[in-house]
Amino acid sequence: MSENLENIDVIDTSVDGNYDESNIQVLEGLEAVRRRPGMYIGSTSEAGLHHLVYEIVDNSIDEALAGHCSCITVEIKEGNVISVSDNGRGIPTGTHATGKSALEVVFTVLHAGGKFGGGGYKVSGGLHGVGASVVNALSEWLEVEVCDGENIHYMRFLRGDVETPIKIIGKGTESGTKVTFKPDGEIFDTTVFSYEILQKRLQQQAFLNAGVRIVLKDLRPKENEEDERKSDDFCYEGGIRTFVEYLNGKIKKDVVHEEVIYVSGKRDDDIAEIAMQYNDGYNANIISFANNINTTEGGMHETGFKAALTRVINDYARKSKMIKEDEKLEGTDMLEGLTCVISVKVLEAQFEGQTKTKLGNATVRTLVTNMVNEKLSTFFEENPKVARAIVGKTIDAAHAREAARRAKENARRKGPLDSLSLPGKLADCQVKDPRLSEIYIVEGDSAAGSAKEGRDRRFQAILALWGKMLNVEKARADKIYNNDKLSPVIAALGTGILADCNLEKLRYHKVVIMSDADVDGAHIRTLLLTFFFRFMRPLVEAGHIYFAMPPLYKVYKGKNEKYCYDDDALAAALQEMGEDAKIQRFKGLGEMDPEELWETTMNPENRVLARVTLEDAIAADETFTLLMGEKVEPRREFIEANAGYVTNLDV
Ligand code: TSJ
């Protein structure tokens, strides 16, 4: 306890000592936080709101890492009040020379939290690592109860200011801390918590801190009587090993080796651990953390890991004669199908990059490289079956990469993308300016025929698709280039694929997928979107991909006619024209004549185009992975959920 009081002194003396940035913040006090909340929690949107919970929970996780707390409970209560409690030692409550209790300092002095518990490092910490006082400043009210094993101490704050000074409200034998707060509606755009957002982050923290139990409960009143109360209880003795198992389970892939590989190492105060397992897919899924913060921009720990992985796999491949002395497997080859979690805990982490999520400590690179070089090669020596499976997969990837390079070279030798090398099934448009040009990708000859006749050929190109669609996830670059269904799409769009995908070469700024409004049409849409997502992702991200929305019905009576794009519109049209109006239901594009197709689906004046957006790239990636797996069920679910990805543009 005395140690903590000394630490408070440090804060106070520094106020009139050196004026560095944090001292100035201390001087300004919590009012500064309320004035510029974004500076402290990133934003006042939904993300910032949830950030408050992470800030509080991180304190309990620190207590768990210090070995004094085993269980953390987070409750979402009525009115979107959050309560976080743990069974740790309890925040110190003793009074210090200035007359303030340590407890009060934690909640009223900026950055005070980080200065506690000197000696041990503060491992966890939210993105901005700002602590309890910021949460207090941004809460309409906040209450804290601390039990030191004897007394229960209580304090209450209003918008950061003490309302009820510290007092004892009862007795208790179990020590712990409980903080309850209501985020300030004057500060946040929304004060409604998402169970799923908290769930995801808390589960992640449970994976990262093996053995720590984190319970989440949604106690808000139910909307419907039959709704289940949501709750979770996360505790993983296996830590990040279990995280990797979970990730590979989620993407519904078969694994290349049963057991997750786990290595860990230490140097001075820094520790690193890595869990990895290959699946039979082709995507890399490397998630890294530094001090429990998701380092989405990567950094030294990732760099060190990749360098060592490349070396260990090449060494093994050579020693076991799986490749020749002069052959070399590249870094990208060993990432195919790799699911990997890297977690480092660093005494003084340096966060860099645009979003401060890139680890900059060079010593961590050395630590991780040495650890993986040594421990992974030992693992390979001791588990030759697993080693051969992994190296074999890497060699396959290298061959595919070579084949793709050759295929691309062949394609290039055929000359630049002039009309001669454009696919035969493309009816191009007259203008050459990509900004004005549209391409309709149409499955089926009759629909393509109508589209060609009905279009405005000045700016609308039609590409007819034919042949068997291949499962784009199973196929790698070389196969895609040679596939007779997709290679015309690649040629027509002109951008190239994967790392070579260059938006400046895009020949049409609107790429419109036009298919029937039935199951087969949905299937084609899904596959094409999958293809674009996997191989021409920049196109999706830049919003160049659209779905054409052909009408489902024509309602007519006498000369009066109306096209309806959904059932609601149909009902409205019937109401307008009278129940005796006739209804024609379009089963497919092929049933429309060229004029009808132009008027309803292609004419910019009338048509409905849905732009494909990727609001949340990560969520989308997960959905796409589900969609493309072997399992039929997730694919169907995706098609149903697809509506979520499109927003109507010009109605
Ligand atoms: F955010 C917060 F600060 F309000 C907060 C802190 C919220 C919650 C839910 C828990 C905690 C917290 C703090 N749990 N456990 C602790 N532990 C300490 O503050 C503590 C206790 C004793 C000692 C010591 O050296 O004796 C050191 C520390 C840091």
Side-chain angles (χ1 to χ4, degrees):
M1 184 66 99
S2 63
E3 192 179 280
N4 295 314
L5 296 180
E6 275 163 33
N7 282 324
I8 296 169
D9 276 339
V10 170
I11 297 167
D12 286 346
T13 49
S14 64
V15 167
D16 38 42
N18 305 317
Y19 282 90
D20 66 20
E21 203 179 277
S22 66
N23 291 333
I24 290 165
Q25 284 173 338
V26 170
L27 281 176
E28 285 181 354
L30 296 189
E31 196 42 43
V33 180
R34 289 182 61 81
R35 269 204 305 273
R36 307 194 64 188
M39 294 259 298
Y40 298 87
I41 51 160
S43 79
T44 52
S45 62
E46 189 177 48
L49 178 76
H50 289 79
H51 196 89
L52 300 181
V53 183
Y54 313 153
E55 284 295 340
I56 297 296
V57 170
D58 286 346
N59 287 278
S60 296
I61 288 178
D62 283 343
E63 184 73 357
L65 291 175
H68 300 287
C69 154
S70 58
C71 184
I72 303 166
T73 302
V74 178
E75 292 173 342
I76 316 171
K77 300 184 164 175
E78 180 156 16
N80 286 287
V81 166
I82 294 286
S83 165
V84 181
S85 55
D86 71 34
N87 61 352
R89 290 167 293 179
I91 303 174
T93 53
T95 318
H96 122 283
T98 62
K100 283 188 177 177
S101 65
L103 185 63
E104 181 174 337
V105 172
V106 165
F107 285 97
T108 55
V109 179
L110 268 175
H111 290 108
K115 308 232 179 189
F116 271 88
Y121 47 45
K122 188 174 160 59
V123 147
S124 75
L127 192 56
H128 305 268
V130 287
S133 60
V134 167
V135 177
N136 190 23
L138 301 177
S139 294
E140 187 184 316
W141 57 262
L142 180 146
E143 285 175 344
V144 54
E145 278 177 49
V146 171
C147 181
D148 53 17
E150 196 180 331
N151 294 312
I152 300 173
H153 306 261
Y154 174 88
M155 273 196 96
R156 186 178 157 96
F157 305 84
L158 292 180
R159 300 201 157 97
D161 297 327
V162 177
E163 184 209 44
T164 310
I166 189 163
K167 64 174 182 185
I168 290 173
I169 56 164
K171 299 248 165 237
T173 51
E174 312 269 310
S175 70
T177 304
K178 179 172 180 174
V179 171
T180 307
F181 63 98
K182 183 176 173 64
D184 194 343
E186 290 175 7
I187 302 276
F188 292 96
D189 308 340
T190 170
T191 51
V192 179
F193 282 97
S194 152
Y195 185 86
E196 286 68 31
I197 292 176
L198 293 179
Q199 178 189 47
K200 188 171 174 190
R201 163 79 185 218
L202 294 176
Q203 182 178 32
Q204 204 179 63
Q205 292 300 315
F207 281 130
L208 289 170
N209 300 287
V212 178
R213 184 171 167 215
I214 304 181
V215 176
L216 173 64
K217 291 181 186 166
D218 195 340
L219 303 177
R220 289 172 293 193
K222 297 183 279 188
E223 277 182 20
N224 301 303
E225 198 42 52
E226 61 275 17
D227 283 357
E228 289 267 339
R229 268 263 152 79
K230 284 184 237 172
S231 79
D232 280 287
D233 190 333
F234 302 120
C235 184
Y236 305 104
E237 294 300 338
I240 62 170
R241 295 178 193 82
T242 317
F243 199 171
V244 166
E245 274 169 17
Y246 167 83
L247 291 169
N248 268 337
K250 206 163 77 163
I251 59 171
K252 305 196 161 46
K253 291 253 162 275
D254 289 333
V255 294
V256 171
H257 50 103
E258 273 314 312
E259 195 122 333
V260 173
I261 302 171
Y262 176 84
V263 292
S264 65
K266 234 189 191 119
R267 192 180 115 166
D268 300 330
D269 290 312
D270 300 346
I271 53 179
E273 50 172 353
I274 295 177
M276 55 188 269
Q277 185 183 42
Y278 282 87
N279 61 57
D280 65 358
Y282 302 116
N283 294 304
N285 189 10
I286 298 178
I287 310 183
S288 69
F289 299 86
N291 296 356
N292 290 340
I293 296 165
N294 190 186
T295 35
T296 49
E297 294 174 285
M300 291 297 178
H301 47 350
E302 283 195 21
T303 313
F305 168 70
K306 286 176 189 166
L309 182 67
T310 307
R311 193 178 135 186
V312 171
I313 289 188
N314 268 302
D315 283 355
Y316 191 91
R318 268 196 210 108
K319 254 207 274 182
S320 61
K321 306 233 179 320
M322 291 175 80
I323 61 169
K324 296 200 194 84
E325 235 5 90
D326 59 343
E327 277 181 308
K328 190 173 175 300
L329 302 166
E330 286 186 9
T332 51
D333 299 331
M334 21 230 123
L335 300 184
E336 279 195 10
L338 173 64
T339 296
C340 172
V341 173
I342 304 173
S343 172
V344 299
K345 305 210 165 128
V346 186
L347 190 50
E348 278 178 51
Q350 292 150 19
F351 290 102
E352 304 170 347
Q354 288 247 291
T355 56
K356 294 271 177 278
T357 53
K358 182 175 182 183
L359 183 66
N361 305 57
T363 51
V364 176
R365 187 185 53 210
T366 318
L367 164 62
V368 171
T369 303
N370 291 343
M371 170 185 95
V372 174
N373 274 338
E374 186 187 320
K375 305 246 166 99
L376 187 62
S377 48
T378 307
F379 176 89
F380 277 4
E381 298 301 333
E382 289 168 358
N383 300 273
K385 252 171 108 173
V386 176
R388 293 190 79 86
I390 292 173
V391 174
K393 187 174 165 65
T394 306
I395 292 172
D396 285 349
H399 288 158
R401 173 173 50 76
E402 268 302 305
R405 193 184 52 75
R406 283 194 300 271
K408 214 170 79 190
E409 241 162 45
N410 284 339
R412 193 174 293 142
R413 237 174 264 131
K414 283 182 197 145
L417 274 179
D418 52 34
S419 56
L420 286 176
S421 62
L422 284 175
K425 291 273 180 174
L426 176 75
D428 211 352
C429 55
Q430 288 160 351
V431 300
K432 293 287 169 246
D433 186 344
R435 288 169 303 179
L436 307 174
S437 309
E438 306 178 346
I439 184 169
Y440 281 76
I441 302 177
V442 190
E443 162 89 2
D445 277 342
S446 79
S450 286
K452 263 181 220 170
E453 247 181 87
R455 68 177 168 148
D456 184 334
R457 64 178 62 237
R458 285 172 304 176
F459 69 98
Q460 292 179 320
I462 309 294
L463 179 66
L465 289 185
W466 81 101
K468 194 171 139 17
M469 178 61 94
L470 86 174
N471 180 342
V472 289
E473 199 189 18
K474 290 241 118 180
R476 274 184 296 213
D478 55 321
K479 292 228 184 81
I480 300 276
Y481 271 117
N482 293 325
N483 173 255
D484 54 349
K485 187 153 199 149
L486 292 172
S487 65
V489 178
I490 299 170
L493 298 193
T495 55
I497 61 172
L498 294 171
D500 301 318
C501 182
N502 181 356
L503 280 186
E504 278 167 29
K505 294 195 182 151
L506 180 62
R507 299 179 66 246
Y508 314 89
H509 278 196
K510 282 200 170 75
V511 177
V512 185
I513 300 169
M514 186 157 72
S515 63
D516 290 338
D518 60 9
V519 177
D520 289 343
H523 197 70
I524 255 296
R525 246 189 340 262
T526 301
L527 286 169
L528 277 172
L529 206 52
T530 304
F531 163 70
F532 286 129
F533 183 76
R534 289 283 179 218
F535 293 94
M536 297 184 171
R537 193 173 298 182
L539 241 70
V540 185
E541 285 167 347
H544 288 299
I545 312 286
Y546 299 81
F547 291 148
M549 307 284 269
L552 296 176
Y553 310 98
K554 178 160 96 177
V555 182
Y556 56 101
K557 191 163 115 185
K559 277 205 189 107
N560 199 355
E561 59 176 40
K562 213 175 186 121
Y563 293 96
C564 302
Y565 294 87
D566 59 35
D567 288 352
D568 287 346
L570 174 64
L574 283 174
Q575 191 144 51
E576 194 187 308
M577 285 190 224
E579 294 291 336
D580 57 334
K582 292 206 171 62
I583 306 172
Q584 184 189 350
R585 182 164 187 275
F586 297 113
K587 290 204 201 69
L589 297 165
E591 287 182 15
M592 277 186 253
D593 54 41
E595 293 71 37
E596 224 164 13
L597 190 60
W598 162 254
E599 277 310 323
T600 61
T601 313
M602 299 176 73
N603 180 354
E605 310 254 302
N606 307 333
R607 73 185 174 193
V608 179
L609 276 191
R611 179 186 238 158
V612 177
T613 64
L614 291 182
E615 297 258 343
D616 180 344
I618 296 168
D621 189 39
E622 281 169 5
T623 315
F624 276 97
T625 308
L626 271 185
L627 152 78
M628 292 177 306
E630 257 86 301
K631 312 272 190 306
V632 177
E633 191 57 14
R635 191 175 301 176
R636 189 180 59 75
E637 283 168 13
F638 171 82
I639 293 172
E640 286 169 7
N642 218 0
Y645 285 101
V646 298
T647 44
N648 283 342
L649 254 198
D650 35 34
V651 182

